[in-house]
Amino acid sequence: IGSWGNRFRSVLDHLGEMHRRLGIPTFSFPIVGGQLLLLLQPHFEEEEFLTVGEEVPVEAEDLEEAFATLYTEVMSIVYHPMIQEEKLVKDAEEFFNTVANELNWSPEKLSKRLLEVKLEISNTGTYSHSSEELEIGARLCWRNSAKCIGRIAWNTLEVRDCRHLETPAEVFEEVKEHLRIATGGTNIQSVMTVFKPKSIAETWGLKFWSSQFVRYAGYKNEDGTITGDPGNLEFTDYLLERELWKPPEKKTDFDVLPLVLKVPGVRKPYVYQLPQEFVHEVHIEHPTCPAIKDLGLRWASVPAISDFNMNLGGIDYQCCPFNGWFVSIEVVRNLMERYKVQDRWADAMGLDKTQKMLDMRLQHEIQTAVLHSFEDQGFTMVDPEQVGSSFFVHCKRERDQGRECPAQWSWIGGLVGPTNVTWHKEMRDFKVLPQYEYCAEHWLTVKPPDEFALLESASELDLQSLAKEKESVLGARPRILIVYGSETGTAEAAASRLHRALKLLKPSLACLNDVAGLNIVKDKRITHLVAICSTFNRGEFPGNAKVFSESDIEPDILKGTKVAVCALGSSLYPDFCKAGITLERKLADAGAQTLASFTKVDDATGTDGPLSDWTQLIQRLILPPKLEDIIRSNLNVQTVTKHNIDWQKQLDVTEEVKRYTHVDSPDCMLCVCNDELIKGGDVEDRSTRKISFKLPEGVKYVAGDHLSVRPLNSIDSVMRFTRIYKDELLEAAAVAGDCPFNAADNEDAMLAWQLQQPFSIKTTEDGETFDANLVFETPATLGEALQTSIDLTLHVSQVADYIGLIKGLITKEMPGWDSGKQKLRKRLLQLHNMVFEDSKQTRESSVNKILSEFPTILDFLETFGPLLCTETKQGEDKKEALLPLADILSVLPRLNARSYSISSSPNDDPSIVSITVGAVNVKTSAGVSIKGVCSNYLARIQPNEDFVSCGIRTSSFRGPPKLSSPVIMVGAGTGLAPMMGFLADRALELESCVDTDKAGKCLLYFGCRNTDDHIYNSTITKWNKSNVLEPNIAFSRKPSTPKTYVQDLIEQDSKNVCQFLLQPETCYYICGDARVADFCFEACVKALRAHGDMSRVAAVQHIKQMRAQNRWQYDLWGIIVHFNEAKYEFKVKKEAGAKHWLKRFT
């Protein structure tokens, strides 16, 4: 019976999902049931007639009632998904109507957003708010909260969007950040931090069990008295009984309870003790009675509430801690009603305990002390009179806006007392959405551990019940076009991964330029268009998307086509995701329907995770599991893909692999200078070089622009790859019959000959043969393709793809494998488990370990090549590698151009452009060498001989607008590069300036290892003597000198830096490692706080204002130069966090 019940429930669940997908409304079910009763009525009457005279006759009326009952019960399961969805859509409509009114949205924008939400709900069962919607929703919840008297500041609430965080450690880090921002230098700022919402599958979402960030423990003593806060007595006992927390050995009235976080799916809660520096407390003292201080009373300064629910349009945010500030009477009541301090207070002040109205006198004195203490210790607090008057003003403002203000008198008028104007105000308590909601104490609802058993999964649905659905699926099989605009390769790589994930549906993949005008949509009847586009320079489209951006699109050409757009960019720059935004609008104007909400991915916070999440969402929307099962199992679709190399003949070859040259490229430039800048530099070890090129006629640039360089892989890398596939290449050369060499006499010459033979690759799939989708044009020689077009570096985003691909090749052990191959197979399966079967946190660490051991595909294939890339017996005669050459070439990514900051000025010499390049030669933590592809290529080019394919890329990084502007420049190592161009312009201006006294001062903070590494030393010294700049040099590894970095220089010179930053025309520039930029940002914030009389919030706001005025500019890159340091710091931080959690658990 249990098995049958599971099967029947699966059928009903499937029917419900099918009805939901087809959009059948729930009100239609009773109508359908009524029609079914009419159809069955004759059968019921026939059954009644047939049983006449029997011992237990059947009446038609009873059958009808039984059917109606059965239908009602069954349909309640079937239409449950629709009820949820309809309610969510209704709640969302109400919410967005409110938001549209508040933000003055146009009817078109509201209609469009509602359509997006409905489509997302239809596809996923839920939807997501944008950060703007989250912010206004949270503020409206505060405005609508009937119990809050301090709502006048509702529209100043700072909302922090932390929905992307996954781990408890990250959540607790943001708790500390919340408290840091809330105090903002002791002035309380109202803040809300919003974590991920409850999913539709969860009863409870991510949730704090702690009611506030800072609450005091309550202990019941043996004599029945209570030490601490009686309000937390039960929760304290709960933690102690379950050994979730260990109190101090000496218990006091003010022991801070830990924060307790419950994560869905994890049985045991996470417990975290806030560091003392984040537990902001106010010690209570009286302005005229010193004895009060000896009572040892205190209270938290920030009332951060953490256990309520925020419902925004049907989406529940159960983990969204919020703080405002205290009204003095709230703290007074806590001390009097919970801590019962009256007797101790009266004794300390020497009051007569028999006098009338003693409690009122004590309330007045305690309130006086609380107000004095908060103000004296620099924390915001309002008194009842002040807050009551402000609430009265708030009500008037609401009335002027045509809104009635909900209010609960016992929490508003009753709080401030009869002398306040609010006491006499008539109030009406009613619910306005959106709203904060009180929640049950989650920890009280948790059942004993033995009731946490997981349910067994239901048996699979009989595929015969899907027959009708299959027919509709066949007619609606998606036709997909995936397009990308990519400058550095990130967008192209993501598009390629999605293309492989949707291979079952045979999607088309192209760059945006190749589909300009989108006529392909009409020609191929495209139903789904997915676009991934990065932003380049000042909000421009990448080179392979420029033609598309400038082309016209026929109106309504995308009508009926579902579109999803993902925009890549960096929030460090002004035009964040501008190209993606423009693309999304262009597609919308062409009549596109929304497949998924427009998504922005910020490179400043990392692209791998968000991009992976987005591509998985698109995959689920276009190819849900049920559709995939139908196509695979019932439509007999074969997805076996075969790649074949077609070798051609080229007899004019050499005995060695030729080094490719860019001399024939239309964008090539002649190298005219390649000078070492550091003393004793060596390109094999450490080298920083000044490399100059002759500009082609008509090509111009401005100081601060970038030079985009197309690198070449080294001949050594090409030969390493060649030796991995030695067997296949030698066999191809032998089969050709024209090779003048043989493997026995000169194997290297034979390989070199084959590398110079043209080839193309054909793909065979489902009986069709077509040109393979490669990152290079064919026919081409393998030597040229490996040097110019193929990226041999292994990236984080590729690890799972490659491991997953290889797992499919080694699932079954081949007969005849020796022990060596068996060991390699076992190791590969272990890598697969690390990447795919571990938790997300462990998986991240595993991927980093794999990359440390195999930083390039060459390292990986050299290790596993004997198993994957050498011939394996299949049958008696045929031999073939598991991963043949054609297969690996079809998945390797494109070798993209690298951008370098230009370190020269056209005003100095308009025919020459220079860059500063540090050759990257480091080792991973596993001891494997990494050589930067482009930096090592550039370091070895020969002046006046070699041409390089490169071009000018306009940048938003621009020098000071005028000579009188004060300037701060910060750069470490090659981060000095763009500053050299700016300083060259400044030097020329000063030479021609009549009144040099009016020139603004220029502070340079430069960091390097030691004096030998001080690049451009002589030039900087010369400019220092001519007052072009004032250099400040930090040496991190100079003998007998303390280790110093540029951020240390800024802190040491903080007073001067503060004076500069406060001047209205000061320009701040930083170039280099992104981590250095963060450290220097913090150093500047400290300088403003220390010498500018600013809170942290004010200091950060001042810098934000400089950014908005384009006076604070970045030119940043990643952290590869600090590979070991960054990896080590990451590892130490994670291990420390893990040890901390283990201590809490044990």
Side-chain angles (χ1 to χ4, degrees), residues 753-821:
W753 186 88
Q754 191 61 31
L755 283 176
Q756 297 171 71
Q757 303 304 306
F759 73 97
S760 59
I761 298 180
K762 298 290 183 181
T763 299
T764 302
E765 194 173 272
D766 296 345
E768 298 179 27
T769 300
F770 47 89
D771 290 335
N773 182 30
L774 305 170
V775 296
F776 53 91
E777 296 290 332
T778 57
T781 69
L782 185 57
E784 178 183 341
L786 288 171
Q787 284 189 69
T788 65
S789 304
I790 295 175
D791 189 354
L792 299 173
T793 304
L794 195 56
H795 302 280
V796 172
S797 58
Q798 298 167 343
V799 172
D801 290 342
Y802 290 155
I803 297 295
L805 169 69
I806 292 167
K807 167 65 162 52
L809 303 175
I810 60 170
T811 301
K812 294 182 180 179
E813 187 174 325
M814 299 291 292
W817 278 359
D818 58 26
S819 59
K821 289 188 175 183

Side-chain angles (χ1 to χ4, degrees), residues 217-235:
Y219 313 100
K220 193 166 186 177
N221 302 315
E222 293 181 358
D223 60 1
T225 60
I226 294 174
T227 298
D229 190 344
N232 298 317
L233 182 63
E234 191 174 3
F235 185 53

Side-chain angles (χ1 to χ4, degrees), residues 891-952:
V891 297
L892 288 175
R894 188 187 310 278
L895 181 61
N896 288 289
R898 272 61 161 175
S899 289
Y900 290 90
S901 302
I902 292 175
S903 52
S904 58
S905 167
N907 297 321
D908 198 11
D909 186 345
S911 67
I912 299 295
V913 62
S914 300
I915 55 176
T916 305
V917 179
V920 176
N921 295 292
V922 294
K923 286 190 176 182
T924 70
S925 56
V928 181
S929 296
I930 297 179
K931 286 186 176 293
V933 175
C934 195
S935 62
N936 277 276
Y937 161 64
L938 289 172
R940 289 167 170 78
I941 59 175
Q942 297 300 313
N944 300 314
E945 291 183 17
D946 289 336
F947 287 82
V948 174
S949 177
C950 49
I952 302 297

